Amino acid sequence: VLDRAGCIVAVNRPWREHASAAESGAAGARTAPAPGTDYLAVLRGLACPEISEQATRGIESVLAGRADRYYQEYRCDAAGPERWQSLTVTPVEDAQGGVVVAHADITERIQTIAALRARNEELERFNRAMVDRETVMIALKQKVNALLGELGREPAYPLHFLDEPPAEPPRPRAH
């Protein structure tokens, strides 16, 4: 929780555990600022200015009442494997004001989205290959049927579906 000036006034157990892990030298852990620290100054001092500037502007916009909420997703893997976090900022609606800043690990969701995107791309490539293959097969069957017609024989391949209009998509039923 930050006060109106952007200073930390309260932290929760996960924040304290993160700070404890950082102090013990855990891999990838960075010291978490303690109550009384100017959180906006901490953000401005981070290694990635693009992310820290966005976060700072977002927090300041909620603190000033220009926004009801701020949300940002960012990559944070400088000290280890790829990790993703979200930052959500909401106002404290009491006389003292301030904001609640919540960080969440969204790595699994981001990795799942990336895996699904890769799988969809693979399926689209497969679909294009199959459609291309089917188009070639139809063209070959048309040629065979044409040659059979020149010989006075019946077509070997029924291709009447090519002359039919496409089927209409099913309509929703009223309940």
Side-chain angles (χ1 to χ4, degrees):
V1 178
L2 307 182
D3 65 15
R4 290 177 192 223
C7 291
I8 300 172
V9 293
V11 296
N12 61 5
R13 184 174 39 84
W15 186 269
R16 287 188 300 274
E17 289 171 356
H18 178 73
S20 177
E23 289 169 6
S24 70
R30 201 174 56 229
T31 303
T37 304
D38 181 345
Y39 190 66
L40 298 175
V42 171
L43 285 177
R44 288 182 190 104
L46 292 178
C48 183
E50 180 181 317
I51 293 170
S52 63
E53 287 172 16
Q54 289 174 0
T56 301
R57 283 194 307 271
I59 292 170
E60 288 172 337
S61 70
V62 177
L63 279 168
R66 292 188 307 271
D68 294 332
R69 180 178 186 270
Y70 177 74
Y71 181 82
Q72 175 181 344
E73 294 180 354
Y74 59 96
R75 186 175 171 167
C76 57
D77 55 353
E82 179 180 307
R83 293 180 325 135
W84 286 84
Q85 294 280 315
S86 69
L87 167 74
T88 305
V89 182
T90 54
V92 174
E93 297 177 357
D94 66 9
Q96 286 134 18
V99 294
V100 174
V101 176
H103 294 268
D105 184 347
I106 58 170
T107 304
E108 186 176 337
R109 180 176 65 84
I110 296 294
Q111 290 172 341
T112 300
I113 289 169
L116 287 171
R117 190 171 286 130
R119 181 70 176 146
N120 281 342
E121 289 170 2
E122 179 184 350
L123 289 171
E124 286 173 8
R125 283 191 303 275
F126 179 75
N127 185 50
R128 279 192 304 275
M130 294 311 298
V131 167
D132 289 347
R133 178 195 162 279
E134 192 60 28
T135 301
V136 169
M137 292 303 297
I138 289 172
L140 289 173
K141 288 177 181 181
Q142 287 173 322
K143 287 181 183 178
V144 168
N145 283 349
L147 290 172
L148 288 172
E150 289 176 18
L151 295 173
R153 296 176 56 192
E154 290 293 316
Y157 301 102
L159 300 173
H160 59 277
F161 64 90
L162 295 173
D163 299 326
E164 297 173 2
E168 288 190 31
R171 295 183 180 175
R173 294 183 293 168
H175 295 285

